[in-house]
Amino acid sequence: MSDARPLSAMQRAMMVQEALAGHPMYTMPVRFAISGPLDADALEESLHHVLGRHPVLLSTYDGEVALPSPRGFSGLRRLTGGTDTSVAALTGLGDTRFDLATEVPVRAVLVADSPGEHSLGLAVHHVAGDSWSLALLLRELGRAYAAAVARTTPDLDPAPDFFAYAAREQEREWGAESDWWHARLAGAPVRPAPRTGPPTGQESGTYVVADLGIDAHDTREIRATARAEHVSPSTVLFTAVSAAVTGERHESVVGLPAALRDTARRQATVGPLINTLPVRTSWTAGTRGAELLRAHALSMEEALAHKDTPYPVILRAAGARRGSGADPLLVHMVNVDPVALDLPLPGLRTRARPIAPRWANVPALWEFTWGTVGNFRGVLRADADSFTPQDVREAAGRFRHALRQLVLQPR
């Protein structure tokens, strides 16, 4: 297999977990409403051009290596709006598993809702990208579409190859980094997920969702506290989650996604350049406000200094074995995602239409994003196998209490 390309540790881990789960844990769907005279042929031509720039998007995966797809991208699926088929195609973008051994990790569907109104849905498997990659692809698609309708060549810089990064990761020795994580996580507390009985068959693997109720006032207080204590708003939110889930030990291990994009080349790379860091923090009873924020800021900073260590290496260093169930180290993950998805198509109005994820890939995901008027939005998505609806409501309530304690009494 001379054309075989190496996979990163994160890619291999995702494929194993999804195969064991039996449902689509790592599909990333996006959807846009498009108003105006869309040239569907030009859009499809642009899709082929953009995908062809990134080998990670035109490969098949067998769990160990990637191979160039013999069939390539299947093309833009075109449907007429208002039919059961078109509705299912858009709403189900994240519900159908990719057969990564035979198809490339990208699907696209275009629905003509009415004259001058279309819906574009894209789904990318996480094995081939992350939220940064999606934003990058959409920008490239806009520029390629502008060139296609103008009958010119897209003005795009050469794209870096993600597999070159994966090859360097495989060649690297992780001994010193593994030793650091071993020392860091020795004896780390892992609180079991609270659910004791099984969910119903239809609930298994899906999310239980609670809005965290962050409003404009909360956003102002979060920003003011962050400025006063010289930390980021993300640190304030992370600390509130940690305090909410720690229990009586005053010690937590909470997951933090870390982007591996410290260079201009990596920032131009499509691929899953992201890692999961278990951030361990401890504090004494009665610690509040600024002192609690500083303890978490330090823990986050120290973990981020070792963020290149692949998560499977971190698991082994901690003595944890990853199986078919919940993560052996992490129950809670905090994701503060500032990446706003935009599809710039010349002469057209485009509006993002979020598709809520259905299938869980971590026991409890605390998601924070920017709302339409610049306010934070917060949602807790918890795996129904690990949390009951009552568990989720109680966790959301503890978060609200912890956040109030942080922003009302920062000092």
Side-chain angles (χ1 to χ4, degrees):
M1 294 193 299
S2 58
D3 293 331
R5 309 296 300 275
L7 303 185
S8 70
M10 183 64 78
Q11 287 178 308
R12 295 194 299 273
M14 284 190 291
M15 295 183 67
V16 169
Q17 287 298 103
E18 190 168 68
L20 291 170
H23 56 253
M25 296 173 66
Y26 294 108
T27 301
M28 302 183 297
V30 295
R31 178 181 174 184
F32 288 89
I34 304 173
S35 300
L38 176 69
D39 186 333
D41 291 335
L43 182 64
E44 180 157 14
E45 175 187 334
S46 304
L47 266 172
H48 281 280
H49 179 84
V50 169
L51 298 183
R53 290 168 40 80
H54 304 283
V56 73
L57 298 173
L58 289 184
S59 296
T60 56
Y61 299 81
D62 70 358
E64 295 296 331
V65 296
L67 291 167
S69 169
R71 295 187 299 175
F73 175 55
S74 61
L76 181 64
R77 186 183 180 192
R78 306 188 197 187
L79 300 170
T80 301
T83 66
D84 291 342
T85 300
S86 64
V87 172
L90 286 173
T91 59
L93 274 171
D95 288 345
T96 305
R97 286 181 65 185
F98 280 93
D99 182 358
L100 293 173
T102 62
E103 66 174 316
V104 301
V106 182
R107 297 188 186 121
V109 58
L110 181 67
V111 177
D113 298 309
S114 63
E117 298 290 337
H118 291 79
S119 295
L120 174 66
L122 293 172
V124 177
H125 196 283
H126 203 356
V127 77
D130 49 23
S131 59
W132 183 283
S133 299
L134 285 176
L136 181 61
L137 281 175
L138 292 169
R139 289 197 299 271
E140 290 190 1
L141 181 59
R143 294 174 64 180
Y145 178 82
V149 296
R151 301 294 184 263
T152 60
T153 301
D155 182 19
L156 295 170
D157 294 330
D161 185 355
F162 171 82
F163 292 120
Y165 162 83
R168 290 192 296 272
E169 183 194 86
Q170 279 199 5
E171 293 167 357
R172 181 172 173 179
E173 297 291 336
W174 296 102
E177 292 293 296
S178 179
D179 291 344
W180 187 89
W181 282 106
H182 175 75
R184 185 68 166 188
L185 298 172
V190 181
R191 298 185 67 205
R195 184 160 201 157
T196 56
T200 67
Q202 290 185 334
E203 290 177 326
S204 182
T206 63
Y207 279 117
V208 180
V209 181
D211 192 301
L212 297 176
I214 300 178
D215 57 19
H217 177 266
D218 296 323
T219 299
R220 289 193 297 270
E221 294 298 317
I222 290 167
R223 288 172 169 164
T225 300
R227 287 194 300 270
E229 305 306 329
H230 306 289
V231 299
S232 68
S234 299
T235 301
V236 178
L237 294 166
F238 186 93
T239 303
V241 172
S242 175
V245 305
T246 187
E248 298 180 356
R249 287 192 60 174
H250 304 296
E251 182 176 17
S252 71
V253 179
V254 177
L256 177 69
L260 307 178
R261 296 185 178 273
D262 297 337
T263 66
R265 185 171 183 81
R266 287 191 183 182
Q267 290 169 15
T269 301
V270 169
L273 283 167
I274 194 167
N275 196 17
T276 299
L277 304 179
V279 178
R280 184 180 185 181
T281 312
S282 60
W283 58 96
T284 58
T287 302
R288 302 169 72 180
E291 190 176 351
L292 190 60
L293 282 171
R294 283 194 292 269
H296 282 82
L298 178 61
S299 296
M300 294 168 71
E301 181 181 347
E302 290 172 342
L304 286 167
H306 300 268
K307 67 179 182 178
D308 284 330
T309 312
Y311 189 56
V313 175
I314 295 174
L315 282 178
R316 290 194 296 272
R321 305 187 69 178
R322 194 165 193 167
S324 59
D327 190 297
L329 266 182
L330 299 174
V331 173
H332 298 273
M333 175 87 71
V334 177
N335 184 26
V336 183
D337 194 349
V339 178
L341 298 181
D342 181 40
L343 178 60
L345 299 178
L348 301 167
R349 182 187 177 203
T350 63
R351 302 171 304 285
R353 295 288 184 258
I355 299 177
R358 175 185 174 193
W359 300 101
N361 56 15
V362 295
L365 178 62
W366 302 75
E367 288 186 311
F368 300 96
T369 58
W370 292 108
T372 55
V373 292
N375 297 323
F376 274 114
R377 294 186 59 197
V379 175
L380 169 58
R381 303 184 192 278
D383 181 4
D385 291 309
S386 304
F387 291 80
T388 68
Q390 180 64 25
D391 295 329
V392 173
R393 288 191 293 270
E394 291 176 357
R398 291 194 300 272
F399 167 82
R400 293 287 308 163
H401 176 75
L403 183 63
R404 283 195 298 271
Q405 294 297 312
L406 286 173
V407 302
L408 292 178
Q409 299 180 359
R411 292 175 178 80

